[in-house]
Amino acid sequence: MSRNLMGIYTIWLRDVRRFWRDRPRIIGATIQPALFLFLLGTGLGRGIAGAFGNGIRGDYLTFIYPGIIGMSILFTSIFSAISIVWDREIGFLKEVMVAPIARWAVAVGKAFGGSTVAVFQGSLMLIFAPFINVHITPAIVITLIPLIFLIAFSITSIGIVVAARMHSMQGFQIIMNFLVLPMFFLSGAMFPITNLPRWMGILVAINPLTYGVDALRGVILGFSNYSLIANMSIISGFGIAMIIAAMIIFGRTE
Amino acid sequence: MNIIEVVNLSKGFKAKKGTITAVKDVSFNVRMGELFGFLGPNGAGKTTTINILCTLLTPTSGKALLNSFDVVTNQNEVRQSIGLVFQEPSLDEKLTARENLEFHAMLYNVPKAVREERIKYMLEIVGLYDRKDDLVNTFSGGMKRRLEIARGFLHHPRVLFLDEPTLGLDPQTRNHIWEYIHQLRKKEEITIFLTTHYMAEAENCDRVAIIDYGEIIAIDSPSDLKKEIGGDVITVIAEDRDKAKKTIEEEYNVSVIANDEGLHFEVENGETFLPKFIKKADFKILSISLRRPTLEDVFLKLTGRRIREESAEANTALKIHARRLMR
Ligand SMILES: Nc1ncnc2c1ncn2[C@@H]1O[C@H](COP(=O)(O)OP(=O)(O)OP(=O)(O)O)[C@@H](O)[C@H]1O
Ligand SMILES: [Mg+2]
């Protein structure tokens, strides 16, 4: 067991190290959500002011801010998980797979690595708060960190399940179009989810990120559709199911 | 005492049409402490066999024990007993040389107290200590290979698998790498399982298994394998190849193998045979050569084909190159 813990730590350490070293990635992953927030947010905000009724409660820019943090967590987590496919392509995954640690520990190490990186990247989004007149207190930060971790852990685990059987980066576009972007659009990040057509409402309800964004909005802006406890329970339940799936899929040898 | 025991091992892959049987009912043993070689052409099943022994693949049937642990049911113990240098690159190029070894040492539970010491020692042996803090993507192909060899030895494995360790490297680097391996072999009690296309490397082994189309067709020490060949190998290029083949076979009662490079046959004592042969020949000889038998001749005799070092090497070198470009 201690051996597997060491294995999890080792894999985690590598992911964190590599992330920290990859400054262009950090900068890119900060600027992209900022573009959504300030350009798309400002433009859309002007055009549709009031169109969403009281679902927005105030400024559109403020409304999407937690959603944009959710987007940053989503992208960072998925990219971390997909790095497994990259590792497979460059051959490094074999080095990990023949090491004397259980294969499930590899999946868990990856999930922790991705979550840690996403906590960092998600928290970095807080630097934009002053520009849109959102006041972040230390109490909010303390609640946010475990929350972001939880969201990131769930999403990284989904990514690992997908990456576990993927043999080339060519599948990446498919994942972007059929998993990542729909998850983002259907999470309530950019618009309220209260008055949607039925089919869309169902997709929103089964999207784990919906509860993540709702919880972020609750903590940062003080209003949400569900309670923090409810949101966190759903995300945790989903995360546990996904990490177990990831551990099982990773454990199988061809 | 055997460190590896393989009994009736088979592995099939599902392909578009039916299955490819990469390893067919193979049985062999590797003795503790020996340098054991797998010699065979592309696609013979060398890497597949190693992948089964190192727990990356599950066999379709048969059994394999490594360090007396079953490779299917006792995977963790097997993995702790082995080190690997894969045929294809397997380093994290975004980490430094030292970090790659540290990652490995941590995964293999090398105690913290000796970790730094051991990493330093291995890096010194392969001559990379002064580059330890450089990212691996700044290394040449030969340097990367040396680092992988250092990594394979790092955790004191009982068995080290070297899958084509010198493929695509220039002769000088190849020699260097073998120096390190021999040096380390003297110092550490280790069994080495090598696969290769290079005859010279196979000649170095204590025992060699010749593998072709997934089957072991011969297994013995290089010198005993070569004893199968009568004595010296004569290669003749004649103007009328068919006539020459028939004449030689009838006249000297030997079997002649014909391929692109000419007619090959074996005689007891080449030096005295040649003058007589040339004098008597009633066909036009364009060229003639004499040499001591090599493992290539053994392969040629057993299969009628050559291992084709060149094309194989070019092939994999190309593959490796393509991979590097993809980064
Ligand atoms: N994952 C796989 N899926 C399908 N077929 C495979 C797979 N791996 C290997 N094969 C097939 O099994 C056979 C043996 O391959 P293997 O890699 O073991 O050969 P090798 O002796 O190592 O060759 P080389 O000298 O080129 O490395 C080949 O026909 C190959 O196409
Ligand atoms: Mg091979």
Side-chain angles (χ1 to χ4, degrees), chain B residues 42-43 45-48 87 163-164 195 197:
Chain B
N42 282 151
K46 304 182 293 293
T47 301
T48 304
Q87 182 168 357
D163 198 355
E164 319 256 6
T195 83
H197 284 108

Side-chain angles (χ1 to χ4, degrees), chain A residues 144-168:
Chain A
L144 273 184
I145 288 176
L147 176 62
I148 296 179
F149 186 87
L150 212 57
I151 301 170
F153 192 87
S154 293
I155 297 173
T156 311
S157 302
I158 304 177
I160 296 171
V161 170
V162 175
R165 283 288 176 267
M166 232 170 88
H167 283 268
S168 85

Side-chain angles (χ1 to χ4, degrees), chain A residues 254, chain B residues 13-14 20-23 40-49 57 87 163-164 197 316 319:
Chain A
E254 276 169 56
Chain B
F13 290 110
K14 282 195 201 77
I20 300 171
T21 311
V23 177
N42 282 151
K46 304 182 293 293
T47 301
T48 304
T49 308
L57 288 174
Q87 182 168 357
D163 198 355
E164 319 256 6
H197 284 108
T316 311
K319 256 196 278 178

Side-chain angles (χ1 to χ4, degrees), chain A residues 154-183:
Chain A
S154 293
I155 297 173
T156 311
S157 302
I158 304 177
I160 296 171
V161 170
V162 175
R165 283 288 176 267
M166 232 170 88
H167 283 268
S168 85
M169 285 306 272
Q170 279 156 5
F172 185 68
Q173 278 304 322
I174 298 175
I175 293 184
M176 271 315 276
N177 290 328
F178 288 91
L179 185 74
V180 181
L181 291 178
M183 270 178 86

